[in-house]
Amino acid sequence: MREQPGHGVMPKSRLLQDKVVLVTGASRGIGAAAARTFSAEGATIVLTARNADAIERLADTIAGTGGAALAVPADVTDPASVERLVQAAVDKYSRLDAAFNNAGGGPMPRPLAEIAVADFESALRVNVLGIFLCLKYEIAAMLAGGGGSIVNTSSTAGLRAVPRIAGYVASKHAILGLTKTAALDYAASNIRVNAIAPGTILTERLQELDEGRREQISGQIPMGRLGRPEEVAKAGAWLLSDEAAYVTGATFDIDGGRMAAGA
């Protein structure tokens, strides 16, 4: 039970108080950090990923800190699965206020002409079709509820060219196009749609690199360090919140200044 504030002390405002927020790709990395952060900001979380065990554990963790979370395994590339996911949120909580569309992926790096067609198609399927399907069903639920807010996870690879990851770069650029189009389609319906473009973030994949390689990467970033998943999550929380009520169709770089340096 929260202690009541003392005489004359205003309670701390929480960005997502009483909002129902869907988080895709919530089994690890930025998605898991977002779920924990949004819960700490007062939201009820609907967690989804293909890894059912991972999101169940995260739901238990959130519950253990006094939060509320519902774990619903889903495949964002399957229309029926995404429709069931959004319906599960509405059935449980009667509405969907916000969504953080974070699920994504990409094949191992190699020059464009050496990329297998199936690998390129896979990147587009997860990162582009997946975002489209989430938007499609989330927006329908939000229209029924009178409005909402959505944040899509792109990447700084969606803002510039990066060698050897053509499928990932193409798909992350496409996410920004979907974001802007959805923002225009529903701006008059009280639904805001924005994107974040994380740079080099210390997720599980980077943690597997040796310390020397991580230091080398950090040296290319103006702030001199890698980003933390929680820092991305906090930016997402603000964009989803009513504090960002006049922001739609925007892309926020979260990269320690690297894009500003023209990297």
Side-chain angles (χ1 to χ4, degrees), residues 12 14 42 69 72 84 91 102 105-106 114 122 128-129 131 150 200-201 217 220 226 235 240 242 252 261:
K12 181 181 178 183
R14 298 202 289 178
V72 183
R84 285 194 299 269
D91 288 345
N102 177 72
E114 298 175 18
S122 177
V128 184
L129 178 63
I131 291 285
I150 298 171
T200 310
I201 308 300
I217 295 171
Q220 300 169 356
L226 302 177
L240 289 175
D242 295 340
F252 278 55

Side-chain angles (χ1 to χ4, degrees), residues 238-258:
W238 182 80
L239 281 171
L240 289 175
S241 79
D242 295 340
E243 295 295 311
Y246 200 55
V247 180
T248 195
T251 301
F252 278 55
D253 306 355
I254 308 171
D255 66 348
R258 198 168 182 184

Side-chain angles (χ1 to χ4, degrees), residues 24-25 29 49 51 53 68 90 114 124 138 158 185 196 213 216 223 257:
T24 76
N51 188 330
D53 290 341
V90 174
E114 298 175 18
L124 295 183
E138 291 160 358
D185 283 348
I196 55 171
R213 178 59 179 143
Q216 182 182 24
M223 290 184 71

Side-chain angles (χ1 to χ4, degrees), residues 129-194:
L129 178 63
I131 291 285
F132 165 76
L133 291 174
C134 287
L135 288 169
K136 176 179 174 65
Y137 293 107
E138 291 160 358
I139 287 170
M142 291 176 184
L143 286 171
S149 179
I150 298 171
V151 170
N152 298 321
T153 301
S154 178
S155 166
T156 50
L159 300 170
R160 62 187 178 97
V162 181
R164 298 172 60 84
I165 52 172
Y168 186 79
V169 168
S171 63
K172 291 299 185 178
H173 274 74
I175 288 170
L176 300 183
L178 284 172
T179 298
K180 292 174 184 178
T181 301
L184 294 179
D185 283 348
Y186 297 99
S189 300
N190 195 34
I191 296 175
R192 299 184 299 104
V193 187
N194 293 291

Side-chain angles (χ1 to χ4, degrees), residues 14-15 28 30 46-47 68 95 106 123 185 202 213 217 229 240 254:
R14 298 202 289 178
L15 285 174
R28 60 180 183 169
I30 291 171
V46 180
L47 306 165
R95 68 186 196 278
D185 283 348
L202 190 57
R213 178 59 179 143
I217 295 171
L240 289 175
I254 308 171

Side-chain angles (χ1 to χ4, degrees), residues 75-84 125 129 133 137:
D75 178 354
V76 298
T77 69
D78 177 11
S81 184
V82 178
E83 186 175 19
R84 285 194 299 269
R125 187 170 180 80
L129 178 63
L133 291 174
Y137 293 107

